[in-house]
Amino acid sequence: MSSTAHKTHYDVIIIGAGLYGLALANTWLKVHPEARLVILEACPCLGGVWSSERMYDAFWTQTPLDMACFSDFPMQLGLMEDETYYDFFPAKHVTQYLERFVDSKIYADKPLRQRIVFNSPVKEIRKNKEGGWHILHSDEQRLSTSKLVVAAGLTSQPNIPILLGHSSFTGIILHHKDFGSSSILANPQVKHLAVLGGAKSAADIAYACAKAGKAVSWIIRASGSGPAAFASAQGIGPYKNSNELLYTRLAASLSPSVWMPRGRIERLLHGTTVGRRLVDQIWAKFDKDTRRLADYDGRHSEKNGLSNLKPDTPIFWQNDSTGVNQRSDFWDIIAGKVKVYRQDIVKLEGSSIVSTDDRIEADALVCATGWRPSYHSFIETSLAHDLGLPTSIDVEAKPEWKDLDAAADQEVLSRFPRLRNPPPHHSSSPTSSPFRLYKHMLSTDPAYHDIVFLGHIAVGNNFRAAEVQALWATAYFDEVLHVPPQRGMEEVVALGVAWCRRRYLTKGELGHWLYYDLVPYTDALLEEVGVKGHRKTGARDLWTPCVAEDLKGLVEEYLDHKALQDR
């Protein structure tokens, strides 16, 4: 493709071949099978976080089997019982699933795989004054399009902390993105390994290294938001696993969310004293059960510092990247074979990591320290600001946002009084503005209504989010979906940001954290498109989990709706 792509125009250009990019490509081509569409992928393989480069044996999904796929292409793994844990399973199967997906989806005699240009990092995007976009990617090739989709996601560019003395450290330093492709676990020279970070990715790596026989030190910053909580994978009652319960509309109603439709249920559960007391008791039990299963003060706690894994805040607030424990022996391995520190790193020195209270010997340091926004590598700062992407606070010069944010904050506190009194928690002054995208996808500036951003949210099930965002973007580009005027969009954005900051504390500062809100968020998007969000009838719609199969036929329903609109 590289020989013919120079100065080539496409109907749609997608940046990123992860879940969101593939979902958009599949949806758009279902609706427009003859479209000229290309996906630019910086890596040599597809999948993003699910790519083959990132796989290792202890990397398991946090999404169970009936949710970890697209609605028109079932997972169908046929795994043995010992290969799953309450329907959670090894992540490598998602990689294999996506490989099959791009080979099986064929439009105009061309499979999706042939529409992906691998090893093609985007260097720059530039708005064309006459409309559309110019894209500069690898080998100085220039493409143009009238519809640009940025689906590079939030987990592409590693965030590696600058540690004093890193150049003198005699061990290996790498980001957890590169852990799967490294040879650390098989390297006999790496006997003692340190993991830096408090979220689920750090837990997975600490577990993997301990299972491989390494001596493991797990370091969690004292000055950060603290270690993640690890909810049980086991379900209750009719639910096979905890995610099945979490992704019901019944459970979603227990979270104070601006994505829930306003009405009697919201007023009862979140606007009355009796309702709030009931909801608080349910969340308190969830938090208590999660801590009890971990048994932080037992299991050799004093010996290895397991108590340092106690979350700083209750699980309701999700201020610590709460995850699911998908292994039966996780806590025994961590308690028995991993030394946990809750300290800040002062410097690296020789083969040592010098912390505030200890000197930790390590042959390797794996930084499970999160990500930097991928768009920074190809969207210059002033354009990012205009588009509504996070930029330096100094750059956010639009004064009306201050008034909109203040009014939105008052509305949030009026609707959800419990958010007035958060628990003590780590907080720091923000260094960037939040995401200011309408429905987390679209710039509020009409000058930029030919570009959408997919996957720039933090949710628990990205398959569902990707499929629904893809349909929303398709309907928007088709002009079937009509968004409010600019002021109306700005009010929606301000409300979302104000709510996110109150609901999710430090994690909510960027306004994109929707961990407990996937179901109402996707319902709202589908309603705006003009198709059914509630796809089950009667009481089943309330208490049964939202699984991938529920979205089956969604595009066909949209096509019928579109045909009516086109008449």
Side-chain angles (χ1 to χ4, degrees):
M1 181 174 287
S2 62
S3 62
T4 60
H6 187 63
K7 296 184 179 178
T8 299
H9 181 83
Y10 287 91
D11 300 322
V12 179
I13 292 179
I14 302 170
I15 301 174
L19 289 188
Y20 289 85
L22 297 178
L24 189 282
N26 186 48
T27 302
W28 185 262
L29 290 168
K30 273 188 180 181
V31 178
H32 306 281
E34 302 297 328
R36 286 178 51 77
L37 178 148
V38 68
I39 306 172
L40 304 177
E41 171 55 51
C43 297
C45 48
L46 59 82
V49 70
W50 306 108
S51 73
S52 57
E53 290 185 321
R54 302 201 199 181
M55 291 300 110
Y56 54 96
D57 288 345
F59 181 17
W60 279 42
T61 69
Q62 295 195 79
T63 305
L65 282 166
D66 55 0
M67 300 181 191
C69 60
F70 296 125
S71 64
D72 64 345
F73 194 71
M75 179 68 77
Q76 294 181 336
L77 289 181
L79 294 175
M80 301 297 290
E81 187 175 346
D82 61 354
E83 293 180 276
T84 66
Y85 185 64
Y86 296 104
D87 272 2
F88 298 96
F89 59 99
K92 64 183 180 182
H93 294 294
V94 178
T95 307
Q96 296 163 8
Y97 166 86
L98 294 175
E99 296 285 354
R100 296 194 302 271
F101 179 82
V102 297
D103 289 330
S104 69
K105 295 300 177 179
I106 301 171
Y107 301 97
D109 298 323
K110 192 174 185 179
L112 273 186
R113 184 182 296 278
Q114 292 182 16
R115 300 173 188 269
I116 304 172
V117 185
F118 292 106
N119 297 306
S120 186
V122 173
K123 297 181 178 180
E124 179 187 33
I125 66 170
R126 189 172 69 252
K127 190 77 171 75
N128 185 351
K129 292 180 180 179
E130 290 74 39
W133 294 85
H134 291 299
I135 295 91
L136 176 66
H137 69 112
S138 58
D139 300 326
E140 303 302 314
Q141 294 185 66
R142 297 182 182 275
L143 310 179
S144 66
T145 185
S146 56
K147 298 176 180 66
L148 179 59
V149 179
V150 179
L154 298 174
T155 56
S156 298
Q157 298 295 323
N159 175 49
I160 300 180
I162 300 174
L163 300 172
L164 183 65
H166 70 277
S167 59
S168 65
F169 184 60
T170 57
I172 301 167
I173 302 176
L174 75 159
H175 189 266
H176 76 268
K177 176 183 179 180
D178 302 313
F179 181 76
S181 60
S182 74
S183 59
I184 276 185
L185 292 182
N187 187 342
Q189 301 303 314
V190 178
K191 295 181 173 61
H192 194 152
L193 191 143
V195 181
L196 173 62
K200 185 64 168 60
S201 55
D204 287 342
I205 291 169
Y207 173 86
C209 293
K211 289 279 282 188
K214 308 292 185 183
V216 182
S217 298
W218 183 358
I219 306 168
I220 302 169
R221 289 188 304 136
S223 57
S225 295
F230 300 103
S232 170
Q234 184 176 358
I236 58 173
Y239 304 106
K240 288 184 290 185
N241 53 69
S242 53
N243 272 27
E244 284 199 345
L245 175 58
L246 177 64
Y247 294 122
T248 63
R249 291 185 174 83
L250 180 62
S253 69
L254 301 176
S255 178
S257 176
V258 294
W259 296 104
M260 290 285 290
R262 302 189 71 160
R264 287 178 296 175
I265 292 178
E266 179 190 296
R267 288 194 298 273
L268 173 64
L269 294 177
H270 305 292
T272 68
T273 301
V274 172
R276 290 198 298 273
R277 187 173 299 152
L278 173 63
V279 170
D280 288 345
Q281 288 175 351
I282 293 172
W283 280 104
K285 185 178 186 311
F286 182 25
D287 187 77
K288 181 179 179 180
D289 289 347
T290 299
R291 293 171 186 263
R292 176 180 54 79
L293 288 171
D295 191 16
Y296 296 113
D297 293 318
R299 304 179 187 261
H300 313 287
S301 176
E302 293 183 4
K303 175 184 175 184
N304 283 338
L306 186 69
S307 60
N308 288 321
L309 286 179
K310 289 181 181 178
D312 290 357
T313 52
I315 203 166
F316 167 83
W317 297 96
Q318 230 282 321
N319 192 45
D320 49 26
S321 299
T322 299
V324 177
N325 170 23
Q326 325 99 310
R327 271 85 51 139
S328 60
D329 62 347
F330 174 79
W331 286 115
D332 289 335
I333 292 295
I334 296 298
K337 299 185 177 182
V338 177
K339 178 74 172 177
V340 183
Y341 299 85
R342 187 73 195 275
Q343 300 176 19
D344 290 320
I345 293 178
V346 176
K347 63 179 178 179
L348 305 182
E349 189 175 75
S351 62
S352 301
I353 299 170
V354 181
S355 66
T356 44
D357 296 314
D358 286 280
R359 178 180 286 269
I360 303 163
E361 294 300 311
D363 303 309
L365 171 63
V366 180
C367 298
T369 45
W371 310 90
R372 295 183 294 106
S374 59
Y375 59 79
H376 281 331
S377 62
F378 56 85
I379 301 179
E380 54 95 14
T381 302
S382 62
L383 177 58
H385 165 260
D386 292 344
L387 288 167
L389 302 174
T391 53
S392 166
I393 290 291
D394 295 334
V395 177
E396 190 178 41
K398 195 172 183 179
E400 47 266 48
W401 281 123
K402 184 176 181 181
D403 294 335
L404 285 169
D405 288 347
D409 190 55
Q410 289 303 308
E411 180 179 342
V412 169
L413 294 178
S414 175
R415 286 174 62 178
F416 307 117
R418 78 164 35 78
L419 301 184
R420 290 181 180 273
N421 300 302
H425 62 281
H426 165 77
S427 61
S428 56
S429 299
T431 57
S432 72
S433 59
F435 282 96
R436 294 201 184 274
L437 299 171
Y438 177 71
K439 299 300 172 73
H440 297 286
M441 286 178 277
L442 183 67
S443 171
T444 60
D445 188 337
Y448 299 106
H449 281 188
D450 47 8
I451 179 173
V452 295
F453 295 83
L454 303 188
H456 289 72
I457 52 174
V459 294
N461 178 1
N462 283 287
F463 274 98
R464 182 181 180 90
E467 193 162 352
V468 174
Q469 280 198 342
L471 185 69
W472 191 97
T474 297
Y476 172 74
F477 279 149
D478 279 343
E479 298 183 356
V480 170
L481 182 157
H482 300 286
V483 298
Q486 183 172 1
R487 181 69 176 187
M489 286 194 290
E490 290 173 347
E491 290 173 350
V492 171
V493 168
L495 180 64
V497 170
W499 162 78
C500 200
R501 287 171 166 174
R502 290 284 185 177
R503 175 67 183 87
Y504 293 115
L505 308 179
T506 305
K507 292 296 184 185
E509 278 297 330
L510 288 179
H512 73 312
W513 206 264
L514 308 177
Y515 190 85
Y516 293 129
D517 310 279
L518 173 68
V519 172
Y521 170 68
T522 52
D523 283 350
L525 296 188
L526 293 175
E527 181 180 342
E528 194 168 22
V529 169
V531 298
K532 291 187 298 184
H534 295 241
R535 306 184 70 78
K536 297 171 184 171
T537 58
R540 292 182 67 250
D541 184 62
L542 184 65
W543 65 266
T544 57
C546 294
V547 297
E549 187 180 11
D550 296 344
L551 301 180
K552 194 172 183 178
L554 195 62
V555 174
E556 290 74 18
E557 186 179 333
Y558 165 71
L559 285 169
D560 291 341
H561 175 66
K562 182 176 183 293
L564 290 174
Q565 294 283 89
D566 291 342
R567 286 180 183 176

